[in-house]
């Protein structure tokens, strides 16, 4: 059975729950577009950091959001994030920018300004969109919603391995504490807090391999929406 090509599939969950790895693999498997919305928040955070704008400075963040031009390009099978012509895809992947992204993502103007670009990418369907509020706010009428969870130690380990592999020198304790802070910030904010949509399928990825999770998701999509084509 194959998957109808117009569906909107959402994946939400806390940092390190496996959303990006699984989302990318799932999109590839069912030939869908993969949208990593965390990268958009990271792009704004990266620019704010460069311009020394503090997370609490709503006026300058608002100006930044009005001026910034973010474009998404697919290259070599991966999604590249370009801000005002500068390819920042790799530069936004640090823990520092992740934590800052978490802070600025609680600012209403930042969320508002990124809403249209996300909905535009998803408008034609055939998309796997991952983030924190995909199933609750951005695509509330998505065809299938997943919510990934995993033990915080396992999430820290994954993040640690990822950064070590990239050649960064990191401290496990620091990553663990950073994740707790991010969990608190992302779930505790008043707008679009991290939470599972009522109709989301919850998958615990702690003891499951990437392939297992992707296969489970694909099976669920096919069971619910497969068109037999
Ligand atoms: O998924 P990530 O770690 O790249 O996301 C970075 C931060 O961006 C995350 O801690 C919270 C914010 N974010 C958000 O508020 N809403 C989204 N849809 C995606 C990310």
């Amino acid at each position: 059975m194959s998957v109808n090509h117009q569906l909107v599939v959402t994946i939400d969950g806390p940092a390190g729950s496996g959303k990006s790895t699984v989302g990318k693999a799932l999109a590839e498997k069912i030939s869908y577009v993969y949208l990593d919305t965390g990268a958009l928040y990271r792009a704004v955070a990266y620019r704010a950091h460069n311009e020394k704008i503090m997370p609490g400075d709503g006026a300058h963040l608002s100006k930044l959001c009005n001026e910034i031009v973010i474009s998404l390009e697919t290259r070599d099978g991966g999604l590249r994030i370009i801000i005002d012509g500068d390819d920042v895809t790799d530069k936004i992947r640090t823990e520092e920018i992740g934590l800052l992204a978490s802070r600025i993502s609680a600012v209403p103007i930042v969320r508002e300004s990124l809403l249209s670009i996300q909905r535009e990418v998803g408008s034609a369907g055939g998309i796997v969109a991952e983030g924190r509020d995909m199933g609750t706010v951005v695509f509330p009428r998505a065809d299938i919603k997943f919510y990934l969870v995993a033990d915080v130690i396992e999430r820290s380990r994954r993040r640690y391995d990822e950064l070590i592999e990239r050649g960064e020198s990191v401290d496990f304790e620091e990553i663990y504490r950073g994740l707790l802070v991010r969990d608190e910030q992302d779930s505790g904010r008043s707008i679009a807090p991290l939470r599972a949509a009522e109709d989301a399928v919850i998958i615990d990825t702690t003891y499951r391999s990437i392939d297992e999770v992707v296969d489970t998701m694909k099976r669920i999509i096919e069971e619910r929406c497969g068109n037999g084509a």
Side-chain angles (χ1 to χ4, degrees):
M1 201 189 289
S2 72
V3 171
N4 177 307
H5 280 267
Q6 305 308 319
L7 305 178
V8 173
V9 178
T10 62
I11 309 177
D12 290 302
S17 57
K19 301 184 303 295
S20 300
T21 313
V22 160
K24 231 176 275 172
L26 177 68
E28 200 171 302
K29 204 161 203 166
I30 61 179
S31 304
Y32 271 26
V33 169
Y34 164 67
L35 176 64
D36 167 7
T37 61
L40 301 175
Y41 288 92
R42 282 172 182 264
V44 174
Y46 176 78
R47 179 52 77 75
H49 180 257
N50 282 0
E51 295 186 11
K52 301 192 170 38
I53 300 172
M54 302 305 284
D57 184 352
H60 282 100
L61 275 177
S62 169
K63 187 167 177 286
L64 173 69
C65 288
N66 285 329
E67 288 171 359
I68 195 169
V69 178
I70 303 178
S71 41
L72 307 172
E73 286 177 15
T74 307
R75 209 179 304 150
D76 303 329
L79 192 73
R80 310 298 299 181
I81 312 286
I82 322 285
I83 340 177
D84 301 322
D86 181 18
D87 186 332
V88 298
T89 317
D90 301 318
K91 300 175 200 164
I92 60 176
R93 290 286 145 209
T94 64
E95 283 309 279
E96 188 186 14
I97 296 299
L99 268 165
L100 188 58
S102 172
R103 291 190 67 190
I104 60 133
S105 66
V107 179
I109 181 69
V110 174
R111 302 206 75 80
E112 237 166 72
S113 74
L114 292 178
L115 198 55
S116 54
I117 182 170
Q118 296 172 71
R119 290 202 173 135
E120 201 180 300
V121 179
S123 62
I127 186 176
V128 174
E130 63 105 330
R132 303 294 188 288
D133 59 343
M134 296 299 99
T136 50
V137 176
V138 181
F139 300 112
R141 296 167 62 91
D143 301 281
I144 308 266
K145 300 175 183 178
F146 293 104
Y147 188 86
L148 303 188
V149 294
D151 177 81
V152 67
I153 296 286
E154 172 62 14
R155 291 192 282 128
S156 309
R157 192 192 57 75
R158 290 174 188 168
R159 188 51 56 100
Y160 178 84
D161 290 349
E162 192 185 316
L163 292 170
I164 290 288
E165 200 170 301
R166 241 187 284 145
E168 288 185 33
S169 72
V170 283
D171 176 52
F172 185 87
E173 265 295 310
E174 213 171 289
I175 290 182
Y176 170 75
R177 280 198 303 272
L179 274 187
L180 291 181
V181 170
R182 273 227 270 166
D183 283 356
E184 174 63 29
Q185 282 175 179
D186 294 349
S187 318
R189 68 184 174 218
S190 55
I191 56 163
L194 167 69
R195 64 177 173 80
E198 270 174 27
D199 49 348
V201 178
I202 297 175
I203 302 177
D204 188 334
T205 70
T206 310
Y207 303 110
R208 290 188 166 97
S209 70
I210 297 162
D211 284 350
E212 260 180 276
V213 178
V214 173
D215 287 346
T216 302
M217 286 171 146
K218 185 166 181 278
R219 186 176 37 77
I220 292 171
I221 296 170
E222 287 171 343
E223 277 169 10
R224 292 211 192 161
C225 306
N227 60 4

